[in-house]
Amino acid sequence: MPVSGDLPVPARALAVAAHPDDVEFGAGATLAKWSAGGCRLLHVICTDGSKGSWDPAEDLARLVVTRQEEQRAASLALGGAGDVLFLGWPDGELESGLQQRAQVAAAVRRFRPDVVLGHDPWKRYRLHPDHRHAGFLAVEGVVAARDPHFFPELNLAPHRPAALLLFEADEPDHVEAVAAAHIRAKLDALLAHRSQLRSTMGIDDAGERGQQTAFEERVVSTLVEHGALGGVPRGEAFKRIADL
């Protein structure tokens, strides 16, 4: 399968994800590269992240606030301005319905991105339903945003992005090459999600340097694997849809 590489740096990039930290795992280095080139970033986070804890006694209202703060910090670490739109649907209960689609379409129409990024909803054997639904919202939100007769009640001019990049794809056909500075920004953005260190990143003790190093090595190893698909040392791989 032919693999394309390196889009022109977009003026604006909008990333749609199920939870705080999903964008950083899927596309953090790419967004850091684009941000360094002058791209404006907007995160759209579909859920409230309220189930992102293994502690049965967790204060969930506080967790929601914490995860919002972490996501804004992650945006800053990627070179963004901390611009995050939280749709606020309950974690684990996201649906790809008309109401949610209208929210994503409105974000696309307001922000007017050149590139939209999101989960690949067609990934095989995906366990988490939020990722699947968020992926469909990214795809279907772009369709709704581009056509003037979808959601006219929004009173927002239609907008057609130039490309849609889907991360976590089973059959990627596009690789964005990334350099050391972009990788460091991705890692810093991931580590900004401190509430997820234990459950998602395998870091039981935030002060345990060995565990953090092991996590960072796993992330870099994935970037090496993705880069090899496009013939570059390190990269992030996507399914690219350009006929929008």
Side-chain angles (χ1 to χ4, degrees):
M1 177 186 298
V3 176
S4 61
D6 283 10
L7 295 174
V9 174
R12 292 182 175 87
L14 183 156
V16 180
H19 313 100
D21 81 16
D22 288 338
V23 169
E24 287 68 55
F25 273 110
T30 297
L31 294 179
K33 177 178 73 170
W34 289 348
S35 177
C39 177
R40 285 185 57 198
L41 308 180
L42 175 64
H43 286 64
V44 177
I45 307 301
C46 296
T47 74
D48 61 6
S50 60
K51 295 183 176 67
S53 172
W54 288 354
D55 180 359
E58 184 78 54
D59 180 338
L60 298 186
R62 179 58 197 165
L63 179 61
V64 170
V65 174
T66 295
R67 300 201 70 184
Q68 290 184 355
E69 293 171 347
E70 291 170 347
Q71 185 60 76
R72 294 188 185 96
S75 169
L76 293 171
L78 296 179
D83 293 330
V84 185
L85 173 62
F86 298 99
L87 302 188
W89 295 95
D91 195 347
E93 302 173 32
L94 182 66
E95 297 179 350
S96 46
L98 286 176
Q99 186 175 356
Q100 294 87 349
R101 188 189 306 172
Q103 289 179 310
V104 174
V108 173
R109 287 180 177 178
R110 287 193 180 99
F111 191 64
R112 309 189 76 76
D114 303 288
V115 180
V116 172
L117 307 95
H119 303 271
D120 187 336
W122 298 287
K123 180 178 175 64
R124 293 186 292 271
Y125 313 123
R126 182 187 295 282
L127 291 180
H128 206 307
D130 287 347
H131 287 206
R132 182 171 57 253
H133 286 296
F136 279 122
L137 289 173
V139 173
E140 295 164 2
V142 165
V143 172
R146 76 184 185 193
D147 294 338
H149 299 296
F150 281 80
F151 305 118
E153 67 276 11
L154 295 175
N155 294 314
L156 295 168
H159 176 71
R160 185 187 298 265
L164 175 63
L165 297 182
L166 302 176
F167 47 81
E168 305 169 344
D170 286 322
E171 299 179 0
D173 58 7
H174 180 82
V175 173
E176 288 287 329
V178 297
H182 315 135
I183 296 168
R184 186 65 255 168
K186 175 187 178 85
L187 293 170
D188 289 345
L190 284 166
L191 294 170
H193 296 278
R194 295 182 62 82
S195 68
Q196 304 304 294
L197 294 182
R198 177 169 178 257
S199 60
T200 302
M201 302 174 198
I203 303 173
D204 292 320
D205 180 352
E208 173 49 61
R209 184 62 195 171
Q211 292 180 348
Q212 180 176 324
T213 299
F215 167 71
E216 293 186 1
E217 289 175 347
R218 291 195 300 273
V219 172
V220 172
S221 177
T222 299
L223 295 174
V224 171
E225 292 175 9
H226 285 196
L229 298 173
V232 297
R234 295 172 181 81
E236 288 180 327
F238 305 90
K239 176 64 182 179
R240 178 186 177 193
I241 302 176
D243 186 12
L244 300 179

